[in-house]
Amino acid sequence: QLQLQESGPGLVKASETLSLTCSVSGGSISSSSYYWGWIRQPPGKGLEWIGSIYYSGSTHYNPSLKSRVTISVDTSKKQFSLNLMSVTAADTAIYYCARNSSHFDPWGQGILVTVSS
Amino acid sequence: DIQMTQSPSSLSASVGDRVTITCRASQSIINYLHWYQQKPGKAPSLLIYDAFSLHSGVPSRFSGNGSGTDFTLTISSLQREDFATYYCQQSYSPHSWTFGQGTRVE
């Protein structure tokens, strides 16, 4: 079945760029029915949608993060990526990738990214 | 932006109890409302989509209801494995998905 797996550094310095990749297996990333999304969860807090990308490269971002976020897709590698610029301690969170239509399913296991000063 | 408000933020229940969680949207979202379960240390998993449709493999003790602005998730008979945090999420706003703040069942 479809599986997603996040990868990337678990520690990022403040003011630098957070970069994560989500690898998709067990299915196509080029399906016309789905977007591919990033969601984050600060420790002990709720879920925040960051943004989503279509296989064609069309993107949609959370307005609160839009100025700092870029999401890209590489269909040949079956991967999509998140770049979040100018990070601060408030960006410390578990970052999840997920397939999304109207809802999010399935999800990757998540990766904890800590922003250090 | 459409705001999603869940109540209560947490609740205490026992095995066998009937549990109901409420999610309210700041404007009508018709039935574009979905529910997730998150256990400690795990990613959220989809329970119910489009307000009342049970996701594949989800036990029938879970049910969803509502339309417009007010929605409920009900667990008819709480099991030990159901102690978790539950989130609602709206998809009415095109390409701008938002979650409720979560309800912890303990």
Side-chain angles (χ1 to χ4, degrees):
Chain A
Q1 76 272 22
L2 190 77
Q3 292 185 319
L4 293 87
Q5 177 73 57
E6 304 89 350
S7 60
L11 189 64
V12 180
K13 292 183 179 179
S15 79
E16 296 188 346
T17 297
L18 179 159
S19 296
L20 297 174
T21 295
C22 182
S23 299
V24 178
S25 60
S28 173
I29 199 172
S30 300
S31 170
S32 60
S33 300
Y34 300 105
Y35 279 79
W36 303 91
W38 288 97
I39 305 101
R40 69 179 183 179
Q41 184 173 38
K45 297 189 177 180
L47 301 166
E48 179 181 36
W49 171 69
I50 300 170
S52 298
I53 190 165
Y54 199 52
Y55 75 96
S56 63
S58 172
T59 53
H60 301 279
Y61 299 130
N62 187 322
S64 68
L65 297 168
K66 186 174 185 176
S67 63
R68 298 194 292 130
V69 173
T70 303
I71 297 176
S72 58
V73 63
D74 186 334
T75 55
S76 65
K77 293 183 178 179
K78 296 180 67 175
Q79 294 177 335
F80 60 105
S81 299
L82 168 69
N83 278 354
L84 181 64
M85 302 183 300
S86 305
V87 296
T88 69
D91 296 309
T92 292
I94 298 172
Y95 286 77
Y96 297 100
C97 60
R99 184 180 67 177
N100 76 278
S101 52
S102 60
H103 46 271
F104 297 90
D105 176 70
W107 296 57
Q109 66 183 27
I111 183 169
L112 174 63
V113 179
T114 301
V115 178
S116 68
S117 55
Chain B
D1 284 5
I2 298 176
Q3 307 302 316
M4 307 301 296
T5 303
Q6 290 182 232
S7 60
S9 296
S10 66
L11 65 90
S12 182
S14 300
V15 172
D17 285 353
R18 181 181 182 90
V19 171
T20 298
I21 298 167
T22 296
C23 179
R24 175 164 289 175
S26 59
Q27 66 180 75
S28 176
I29 57 171
I30 308 180
N31 71 331
Y32 294 100
L33 190 283
H34 321 289
W35 291 97
Y36 301 84
Q37 178 192 65
Q38 186 179 32
K39 296 182 179 180
K42 300 294 186 182
S45 61
L46 180 67
L47 286 176
I48 288 171
Y49 61 95
D50 297 343
F52 57 82
S53 295
L54 209 61
H55 184 51
S56 175
V58 174
S60 58
R61 62 181 179 272
F62 290 92
S63 64
N65 212 334
S67 64
T69 60
D70 295 318
F71 301 85
T72 57
L73 171 69
T74 299
I75 309 172
S76 60
S77 178
L78 193 69
Q79 301 300 302
R80 186 168 302 278
E81 60 266 30
D82 302 335
F83 290 94
T85 301
Y86 294 85
Y87 293 92
C88 62
Q89 174 242 319
Q90 67 81 23
S91 60
Y92 176 82
S93 185
H95 307 127
S96 183
W97 298 275
T98 51
F99 293 88
Q101 82 279 15
T103 295
R104 185 175 180 178
V105 176
E106 55 192 12

